[in-house]
Amino acid sequence: MNTVKVRNITIGEGRPKICVPIVGKTREEILKEASTFSALPVDVAEWRVDWYDDVFDTEEVLTTAKQLNEALGEIPVLFTFRTSKEGGEKEISPEQYAQLNKAAAESGYVDLVDVEVFTGDEIVTSIISHAHANGVKVIASNHDFAKTPEKDEIVRRLRKMQTLGADIPKIALMPTCKKDVLTLLEATLEMSEQYADRPIITMSMAGTGVVSRLTGETFGSALTFGAASKASAPGQIGVQELKQVLDIIHKSL
């Protein structure tokens, strides 16, 4: 299993790393939230740029990215525009989506970009290639806020992300029953043990799926999301409590 190193953080080694989203709508809100991270157990900061009011002004985005990078110090930045079709705040054309992610990757202010794998293979591979050419890692992602597919389909999607060249495949699914959580965990275990040659991230959302955010080290998910102030997805728990549980599990394994 290869690991992924971003700044001083190695994803895929030791306990699952903690990623905390920043969901401010204005530059002031974004920087204010970032200023609190030094006192929190944050391994990676995710800038959910789809929440940002000025997201369609690339110059404004890059100016904010620069200031965010400075405010976070050594904490790596994950740049994410979550599209409305996958639970995000805004719609965006595939062309705009590609341009924005490539501009972020070129800027030198972000360490990773999130690319939704069902944007289209050609666009996805072009963003991945561009990011890698600029020394930026890529999380390929898929989110389903309605249901959890069968185990084989979950594994197929994660393998597709790996085939397309993403550094870290990620999937987040909504459980409709408790068994769906088990399906997600079973798929995670199968992927990590049989197919993955790099870290993967999986989670079952909402209250029913909280256990999946805590047991990554047991089943094979390398990073989990916790909330500092405002959650960016259903089921995220506070970052302090999250670290406590992850540490307990890590020490017992």
Side-chain angles (χ1 to χ4, degrees), residues 17-110:
K17 301 307 180 281
I18 297 173
C19 183
V20 178
I22 295 174
V23 293
K25 293 189 174 185
T26 66
R27 184 177 298 162
E28 182 181 34
E29 289 176 5
I30 291 162
L31 297 177
K32 183 179 179 182
E33 190 159 6
S35 71
T36 68
F37 278 28
S38 61
L40 297 172
V42 179
D43 295 310
V44 178
E46 179 184 41
W47 181 20
R48 277 288 303 273
V49 70
D50 54 295
W51 284 77
Y52 184 35
D53 287 341
D54 292 321
V55 66
F56 296 115
D57 183 332
T58 302
E59 192 173 321
E60 287 295 308
V61 170
L62 297 183
T63 299
T64 301
K66 180 177 187 293
Q67 293 182 23
L68 177 61
N69 181 291
E70 292 166 352
L72 289 169
E74 283 304 305
I75 298 173
V77 180
L78 165 61
F79 182 90
T80 300
F81 187 110
R82 182 68 59 236
T83 65
S84 56
K85 72 179 187 297
E86 295 215 9
E89 293 298 297
K90 295 177 177 69
E91 290 185 21
I92 189 171
S93 71
E95 294 74 25
Q96 278 183 301
Y97 181 79
Q99 183 272 328
L100 180 63
N101 278 289
K102 288 178 179 180
E106 281 178 25
S107 71
Y109 304 135
V110 307

Side-chain angles (χ1 to χ4, degrees), residues 141-172:
S141 66
N142 172 233
H143 304 75
D144 190 329
F145 281 77
K147 64 186 182 305
T148 296
E150 294 298 317
K151 175 177 68 76
D152 290 351
E153 174 60 15
I154 298 171
V155 172
R156 186 193 72 80
R157 293 181 191 181
L158 291 167
R159 293 183 71 183
K160 176 182 175 70
M161 297 170 194
Q162 191 166 270
T163 300
L164 290 173
D167 299 282
I168 306 174
K170 173 196 172 189
I171 196 162

Side-chain angles (χ1 to χ4, degrees), residues 65-224:
K66 180 177 187 293
Q67 293 182 23
L68 177 61
N69 181 291
E70 292 166 352
L72 289 169
E74 283 304 305
I75 298 173
V77 180
L78 165 61
F79 182 90
T80 300
F81 187 110
R82 182 68 59 236
T83 65
S84 56
K85 72 179 187 297
E86 295 215 9
E89 293 298 297
K90 295 177 177 69
E91 290 185 21
I92 189 171
S93 71
E95 294 74 25
Q96 278 183 301
Y97 181 79
Q99 183 272 328
L100 180 63
N101 278 289
K102 288 178 179 180
E106 281 178 25
S107 71
Y109 304 135
V110 307
D111 302 279
L112 309 104
V113 295
D114 178 294
V115 180
E116 292 174 3
V117 73
F118 290 127
T119 306
D121 288 4
E122 189 174 330
I123 287 176
V124 169
T125 52
S126 74
I127 295 172
I128 291 172
S129 297
H130 200 83
H132 287 166
N134 286 278
V136 172
K137 306 293 187 185
V138 179
I139 295 177
S141 66
N142 172 233
H143 304 75
D144 190 329
F145 281 77
K147 64 186 182 305
T148 296
E150 294 298 317
K151 175 177 68 76
D152 290 351
E153 174 60 15
I154 298 171
V155 172
R156 186 193 72 80
R157 293 181 191 181
L158 291 167
R159 293 183 71 183
K160 176 182 175 70
M161 297 170 194
Q162 191 166 270
T163 300
L164 290 173
D167 299 282
I168 306 174
K170 173 196 172 189
I171 196 162
L173 304 167
M174 185 64 73
T176 60
C177 60
K178 293 174 184 177
K179 188 174 184 300
D180 282 348
V181 183
L182 295 177
T183 298
L184 180 281
L185 292 174
E186 190 179 1
T188 304
L189 187 63
E190 181 174 312
M191 179 69 188
S192 65
E193 289 188 342
Q194 296 185 31
Y195 304 110
D197 58 7
R198 64 203 72 184
I200 63 171
I201 302 168
T202 69
M203 69 206 71
S204 185
M205 292 186 281
T208 306
V210 163
V211 65
S212 71
R213 298 179 181 275
L214 306 173
T215 56
E217 195 167 356
T218 304
F219 292 95
S221 180
L223 182 145
T224 189

